[in-house]
Amino acid sequence: IATIYKDFTNNGTFTAGTGTTTLGASWVSTTTVSGNSTTFNHLEFLNPGKGLVFDYDITLPVFTFAGNFLVTGASGNLVKIASDSGGNQWLADFDANQSRVTYASIYDSGCGAGSLDETLDATSVDGGNNDTSCWIFPGSNQAPSISSMTFNYGSNVVLNEGTFKWA
């Protein structure tokens, strides 16, 4: 377990092991993660109203989350997850499907190749310029996935939202 109160910069090789890396502190307004591509096992940021900023660089470092990516803000005090270069996406790679970000406002966040999903609940908002192939916001326009369905004579189908494709 490692706790880093301010910024995390990986200029070499970081080995996460099986532990948890906790970033930020109540007295720090913004915590920046930068440097080389880095894999975290479990990453936690539990600082309502603060910023968690990831490095965007033309070399495109990818920040991989092998285990949990846990970010928790509070009602009225959202955590801001963003790139350090407005309008350019930092890249996240989720090795496991996630749903552990709450009370966050997410900006300029992209997805590494092959990333699984971070499914957000209604407490989090899309601040803009996010790749919704892995950042799944509530009410997004992604079509629901249905693997099979049986209709009986006289059945009604109601489509309230989204698009269904019949194969």
Side-chain angles (χ1 to χ4, degrees):
I1 296 176
T3 301
I4 300 165
Y5 295 114
K6 185 73 173 105
D7 297 331
F8 175 93
T9 302
N10 178 7
N11 287 328
T13 301
F14 173 73
T15 304
T18 59
T20 299
T21 304
T22 302
L23 297 177
S26 62
W27 63 87
V28 177
S29 63
T30 301
T31 298
T32 301
V33 180
S34 63
N36 297 334
S37 292
T38 303
T39 298
F40 295 98
N41 184 43
H42 300 296
L43 183 73
E44 293 183 348
F45 187 82
L46 313 172
N47 298 290
K50 307 299 181 182
L52 178 59
V53 174
F54 289 87
D55 186 24
Y56 164 82
D57 192 290
I58 58 171
T59 61
L60 294 178
V62 176
F63 298 97
T64 300
F65 306 98
N68 294 321
F69 178 62
L70 175 63
V71 176
T72 304
S75 181
N77 283 309
L78 302 181
V79 168
K80 180 179 179 181
I81 300 172
S83 165
D84 68 348
S85 176
N88 295 300
Q89 294 177 342
W90 70 279
L91 296 179
D93 185 13
F94 301 107
D95 283 355
N97 285 320
Q98 303 278 324
S99 59
R100 306 198 60 144
V101 173
T102 57
Y103 293 102
S105 182
I106 299 135
Y107 299 80
D108 300 322
S109 296
C111 307
S115 179
L116 297 178
D117 296 343
E118 172 63 56
T119 301
L120 302 150
D121 67 11
T123 66
S124 294
V125 297
D126 182 349
N129 193 34
N130 296 302
D131 183 342
T132 56
S133 69
C134 74
W135 294 94
I136 311 301
F137 292 90
S140 68
N141 291 327
Q142 293 196 345
S145 173
I146 298 174
S147 59
S148 67
M149 186 182 302
T150 303
F151 294 100
N152 296 320
Y153 178 76
S155 297
N156 292 320
V157 176
V158 178
L159 176 62
N160 290 321
E161 181 177 315
T163 302
F164 290 98
K165 179 179 179 183
W166 301 103

